[in-house]
Amino acid sequence: MARFAQLLASAAALVAGASAIGDESILINEIGRLNNQSLLWGPYKPNLYFGVRPRLPQGLWTGLMWGRAEGYTDIQQLFRYTCEQGQDIHGYGWDEFDARTGGVQTIHDEGNGLDVTISFIKVPGGSHGGSWGARIKATVRDDAPPDSNYLVHYYVAQEELGDLIVQGDDNGGLGFEGDVTFKGSSHSLGDYNVVITKGTGNHPTSDHEISATRRGDTTVVRSVSLAANDVWQAKPAVFQFMQDTIKDMQQDYDEENFPPPWQIYRIKSQAGGGNAHVVQKVFEGGFEFDIIFSSASAGKEMTSKDITREIKVASESFGERFSSVFDLKAPYTAEKYQKFGKSMFSNLIGGIGYFHGHQLIDRSYADEYEEENEGFWEDTAEARARKAQQLEGPYELFTSVPSRPFFPRGFFWDEGFHLIPIADWDIDLTLEIVKSWYNTMDSDGWIPREQILGPEARSKVPPEFQVQYPHYANPPTLFLIIEDFMERLRSANGSAPAEKEKLSQGHTLYSAHLDNLELGGDFLQKIYPLLRRQYDWFRKTQRGQIKAYDRESFSSKEAYRWRGRTETHCLTSGLDDYPRPQPPHPGELHVDLMSWVGFMTKSLISIADALNLADEIEELKKNLFAIERNLDDLHWSEKEGCYCDASIDEFEEHALVCHKGYISLFPFLVGLMQPDDAKLGKILDLVGDEDHLFSPHGLRSLSKQDALYGTEENYWRSPVWMPINYMALTQLYKIGTQEGPFQRQARGLYNKLRTNLVDTVYKSWEETGFAWEQYNPETGAGQRTQHFTGWTSLVVKIMAMEPLDEAVHIRDEL
Ligand SMILES: *[C@@H]1O[C@H](CO)[C@@H](O)[C@H](O)[C@H]1NC(C)=O
Ligand SMILES: *[C@@H]1O[C@H](CO)[C@@H](O)[C@H](O)[C@H]1NC(C)=O
């Protein structure tokens, strides 16, 4: 340990003193620059089926829309743009994706009778983040209505000041015969071209007289200048243009001699300058075309031929990388699990988005922050009704999202789980995301738990959920990622000089922060004070009362209470409707929160140790000791054999309130229990008890025996959730692989839980085409939000975990 700290310290000293020599700080800057370049472009509008934007507050963004030109009323319903739940789409998402090179997405659009494949590739080069291309290919499904015509729109918009001008001639409004080229330039992107190729496919014809002005075989472009606040509204823009053409037509024809639908919606071409452009094509049956963005600084314009080649290269390297990063273990070595794993992982990493804009924060009711009065939750409701929120910002956030259709924005507690598989794949990308989250922290140490940035993000959220409160916490799961990174850095020990060589040639990123001790150390040194600030904020704002109620415990300080609970919910805990003491009481103590604080303390100790911060370590170790003792003194129930929340009873006494379930396991889940602790045996009994938590589909959120099992909203009151199951699984693995009285029990549980989880998610995915937010503990069916490829994607990690031999030799049985 000490050796590693020395090594890091000398690496850091090297960086600090480097300006004289130059080498190391140049390396750090150079890798930072390369990383920015490599991550500039992506499908960073995950709320759309396909929306490409750069990782910049303002820039060029583009998006795809399509729909069958069917009866005159179906156009709204069949129009595809934002990802939606419950449409007649049988599965969609990335089959392969890598943030450095691109990937392939397929959309099984039953409603329209199309299977759409979108291949997206990135090509490095030049000084403006390189070039990219997308191939849009649609084939008609067997179940499609015959002779269908499809309207396809591509939206191209420039948010930054600059030029974006269509080249060439649109035949006086009839449209372009060949490819369409936009020439653009702006400060952050330099000069560039966007080409939308003519592509292939049949175009519809009609013998209606309107055909003289509305042809099917051209590409029309409608250019317009929109107000800055409206540029994000691509779909209303398209509908506005379609309405214009319908209006024209209604004047000229009555119902008997209306032209066919595809001609009704055919936009009149008005190509030129403007910050927004709608490109429209119409096809009879399947089609294919490319969108090619070439950065001038890359020196060479990309062509469709380049795209064909790059798609092949990207797919091959994805396949190779997947099997080496996620080495799936028995019984999941068959090809079908590879495919499943690739899809789950690709949707997670392909769901990463970049968000920018203002968010609603209410800082007005500082007096109520403490929530000290009995009946505080009613005061809180009153304070909320004052509606004193204000827009703050702009903020930016680079993050993955829990679900593209339903939750296309950043969620603090989900993010740590999202990054577990991503960190195995691309630690440099992962640390960018971690940094981005910590950049949103305020000077007190608060990070808004749900980040709803800008009007587009807000348009998806009901008003009552938009406002963030600066005394609300959320589980600090990013600590998982940072501690794990530190451990990997420690074991890599700066031993990959070959990688440095490659980097200087601009070849590879992914693991530069592990391959270069200086770089990894620099990251840890910069993030540590931010983690510490957040930790102090938790300890200050979420404190629970010990002395005020004469509680008996080892430490008179270590006790915690989530702020922001109501009678029915504790949203801040992340376990929304999990039963808590009733009625809410200012003397309440929450065992999950104390566990999270203990977990933060433990992580900080490891990181401080790596950074050789002796004073910090001493203080943190004292805190940890006190937390571990108080968890037992304030939260352990010997009678129930598990941990429980606490409240104040009618005699003004400390009283435990036990609802067996996820919360009862928390000290175990975050790794705060010793392998030889007798209490651990009881916790494992509870985990493994089929009448309580253990089900054939994973651990139930609440015990089957609890009076509230499956009641009311039933959100966290029976269903199986992946993140908690993953935490349990990793702890079982740990206990199962070190000597102790519960080693064998842990191994048995680990093996069973592992296969129960994977089999459940796989089966549901196979049947429905989707990953789900949670799973039914009785039937295993996926429930609630569909296309939930956030933390449910942890299943990839679980398939890559090794099964344990249960015939373990246990010393005290000899
Ligand atoms: C990378 O981009 C971020 C903003 O996204 C910027 O703050 C940082 O300075 C850039 N780093 C380098 C080395 O260019
Ligand atoms: C780590 O690297 C240092 C210096 O490069 C070396 O002395 C040490 O033995 C290495 N430690 C391990 C555990 O490999």
Side-chain angles (χ1 to χ4, degrees), residues 28-30 32-33 36 55 396 432:
I28 288 175
N29 264 325
E30 181 57 9
R33 197 186 63 79
N36 278 0
R55 200 162 65 103
E396 64 175 346
E432 283 298 304

Side-chain angles (χ1 to χ4, degrees), residues 494-559:
S495 63
E499 289 293 317
K500 217 186 265 183
E501 202 69 13
K502 277 197 227 159
L503 266 170
S504 59
Q505 297 161 15
H507 280 170
T508 183
L509 284 159
Y510 299 106
S511 60
H513 285 82
L514 288 173
D515 302 333
N516 301 276
L517 202 53
E518 310 79 30
L519 196 61
D522 184 61
F523 174 84
L524 286 179
Q525 254 162 359
K526 287 186 176 140
I527 201 89
Y528 185 86
L530 303 180
L531 301 179
R532 179 67 213 231
R533 195 199 298 164
Q534 191 184 23
Y535 174 72
D536 292 339
W537 177 88
F538 261 87
R539 285 164 53 80
K540 194 175 91 198
T541 62
Q542 311 295 304
R543 195 163 279 288
Q545 293 287 352
I546 296 179
K547 285 185 257 180
Y549 299 100
D550 290 329
R551 289 179 152 122
E552 284 172 27
S553 57
F554 169 81
S555 151
S556 61
K557 284 211 305 232
E558 299 300 332

